[in-house]
Amino acid sequence: MSDTPDAIEQRPWTESDGPEPDVHVYPHESKPGLYVKINGQWRRAVVDARHIHPDRGVSYQCSVSLGTGANVSRTYQWGQPGVRYAYGPNQGQLPTD
């Protein structure tokens, strides 16, 4: 897993990308989770929304901690090696280390 590249953040949608994505916002109590590789470290991310782009596939907008104590909002396209499934909606949060 150490040779897995970092996740690449997806830029926001613009009109030049074609049709707007279909966006599903997850309720606070049932948000799924991902593992996202950032700066060589796997980070836990809580998914806030799923974006289905007609021409760009699926991406996930999530809150992720960069180790500074504060979360940032980032969007990552699904299917890249640096983004992995952690848990589904209603499966609870991952334990803290």
Side-chain angles (χ1 to χ4, degrees):
M1 289 209 339
S2 61
D3 59 345
T4 302
D6 282 356
I8 299 169
E9 189 175 359
Q10 186 173 31
R11 65 173 175 71
W13 173 87
T14 64
E15 288 184 15
S16 65
D17 293 324
E20 280 188 73
D22 178 40
V23 178
H24 171 77
V25 177
Y26 288 95
H28 178 72
E29 64 278 356
S30 62
K31 293 182 178 186
L34 299 173
Y35 291 114
V36 181
K37 191 167 184 187
I38 302 170
N39 295 327
Q41 294 185 337
W42 287 100
R43 302 281 183 178
R44 295 181 179 123
V46 176
V47 176
D48 298 312
R50 180 184 68 235
H51 300 237
I52 301 173
H53 302 267
D55 300 333
R56 297 194 316 172
V58 174
S59 58
Y60 291 97
Q61 179 181 348
C62 52
S63 298
V64 62
S65 172
L66 301 180
T68 60
N71 288 343
V72 295
S73 180
R74 295 214 171 151
T75 303
Y76 297 98
Q77 186 167 11
W78 182 250
Q80 59 178 306
V83 177
R84 298 198 175 150
Y85 173 83
Y87 57 89
N90 300 316
Q91 288 183 327
Q93 299 295 319
L94 291 170
T96 56
D97 293 317

